[in-house]
Amino acid sequence: MRMPVAKPDVATAELLVPESPNEAIDMEQLKVTKDGLYFVRTKNGVEASLYFVAKGGKNVERIPLPQAAGTITLQTKNADSPDLWILPVGWTTDRTRYRYTAATKKFTLEPISSEAQYPEFADLVVEELMVPSHDGVQVPLSLVYKKGTPRNGSAPILMVGYGAYSISANPFFYPPYLLWTQQGGVFAVPHVRGGGEMGEAWHKAGQKATKPNTWKDLIACAEYLVKNKYTAPGRIAINGGSAGGILIGRAMTERPDLFAVAMPEVGCLNAIRMENSPNGPVNAPEFGTVAKEDECKALLEMDAYLHLKEGTKYPATLITAGFNDPRVIAWQPAKFAARLQASNASNKPILFFTDYDAGHGIGDSKQKQFETMADLLAFGLWQTGVPAFQPKTSAMK
């Protein structure tokens, strides 16, 4: 909307950019320059486009990009300068920096440092799919794998998801995740409800009473990969952190037979007790409060700790906690780990790691990030049966 700063009134505001039926506006990428308003829309959370409205104008113009983009970051100086830079990025392409000149409608490559090269990822393939969920709703699913990966049910899958707070899992370039593909695996991102990939309605469809859609979407995506012979039930690893702990915890407790590995990081795994933790009350608008009957029932349903059943064969699980975590207090994953170890009837390892020097992961050093990824990748590749990651047995003498 557009309105005078001196007299703001939403009721009489002018509609500037109408809602799109198939693209969501990235609310973090709205920039004003001397020339006008630039903004980004995304289709299914994985295909980004750049738009422009001239200062004082009404026409919404789509600007052709210099390269295809899954995600676009915009940078400007201020509203009095014409300068605009765009930084497109994809699952297999690193961030590139271009200057856009409105007068000529031209992009100029303008990096601020030397560009890193990744020849080991040159043969990666990206597939963007739409998968029917339990209720028929089409869920975006992103896949990355090496060209020529056999479609015979043998590939190990690493599924990474979140699904909360309207946060979109837009395409990003992160080599540690792509290392999974170098072992013959498929890196998969299910864009489950609760995120913002398809707009605010997508967020609301995975919030409070509708939260089960979040983990049911992931389960549907995993079943699709099995049905279409990308993988098999004993070859799927799932990973998510923080609010993504609800996603991972409930997926593994609802379908323990489907997954080989579950790796919730500093995860919300005892949702009904979240409100009683120091950071708990601020999460009530997203997940609910025990003070309201319907929201309390929703919290009970999304609580992975309460859905553990004694004598059930659960997948191999690596649960992590940060002793100094101000967001998900360490006793949440600790409680889940203890009950899981007591309930598990399989011979799969249930590991609990508390980092006494860490918090919620925000602000971790590169060394700490690499150590965490090494643990996750090694554990996941081990438990999905990748030969190079199996323990060596000593010959009996």
Side-chain angles (χ1 to χ4, degrees), residues 86-207:
I86 76 159
L87 292 85
V89 68
W91 297 115
T92 61
T93 54
D94 202 357
R95 195 179 303 274
T96 308
R97 187 172 184 266
Y98 294 90
R99 176 192 287 270
Y100 179 69
T101 305
T104 60
K105 297 185 177 181
K106 299 287 187 181
F107 287 96
T108 305
L109 188 62
E110 199 171 87
I112 56 176
S113 64
S114 59
E115 296 183 21
Q117 300 297 318
Y118 300 92
E120 65 271 36
F121 301 141
D123 61 348
L124 293 185
V125 175
V126 176
E127 268 194 273
E128 300 291 1
L129 306 172
M130 297 298 288
V131 175
S133 192
H134 68 104
D135 54 359
V137 171
Q138 297 289 315
V139 178
L141 173 63
S142 301
L143 304 179
V144 183
Y145 52 87
K146 290 184 74 171
K147 184 178 181 180
T149 298
R151 189 78 65 82
N152 59 7
S154 64
I157 303 284
L158 174 61
M159 303 186 79
V160 178
Y162 185 73
Y165 288 103
S166 194
I167 295 175
S168 300
N170 301 124
F172 57 90
F173 182 72
Y174 190 52
Y177 277 139
L178 297 181
L179 292 175
W180 186 274
T181 67
Q182 304 304 292
Q183 301 298 325
V186 178
F187 173 55
V189 179
H191 302 274
V192 299
R193 279 172 279 186
E197 285 87 345
M198 311 276 271
E200 183 57 18
W202 197 251
H203 172 217
K204 296 295 186 184
Q207 185 187 54

Side-chain angles (χ1 to χ4, degrees), residues 245-265:
I246 295 174
L247 170 67
I248 303 306
R250 285 299 283 115
M252 67 172 286
T253 50
E254 185 156 313
R255 286 296 306 277
D257 59 305
L258 185 57
F259 306 108
V261 188
M263 298 179 287
E265 299 178 74

Side-chain angles (χ1 to χ4, degrees), residues 26-103:
D26 185 341
M27 299 305 295
E28 294 184 2
Q29 302 305 323
L30 299 169
K31 299 292 183 181
V32 176
T33 72
K34 181 181 179 181
D35 299 309
L37 169 69
Y38 294 91
F39 65 96
V40 174
R41 280 177 170 151
T42 61
K43 182 179 180 181
N44 299 334
V46 297
E47 182 182 335
S49 300
L50 178 63
Y51 291 88
F52 173 67
V53 179
K55 189 173 183 179
K58 295 183 179 181
N59 293 330
V60 178
E61 175 188 352
R62 183 171 181 171
I63 300 175
L65 297 172
Q67 66 181 66
T71 304
I72 299 173
T73 301
L74 303 181
Q75 296 178 341
T76 60
K77 287 182 178 178
N78 52 57
D80 297 321
S81 168
D83 292 311
L84 173 78
W85 293 268
I86 76 159
L87 292 85
V89 68
W91 297 115
T92 61
T93 54
D94 202 357
R95 195 179 303 274
T96 308
R97 187 172 184 266
Y98 294 90
R99 176 192 287 270
Y100 179 69
T101 305

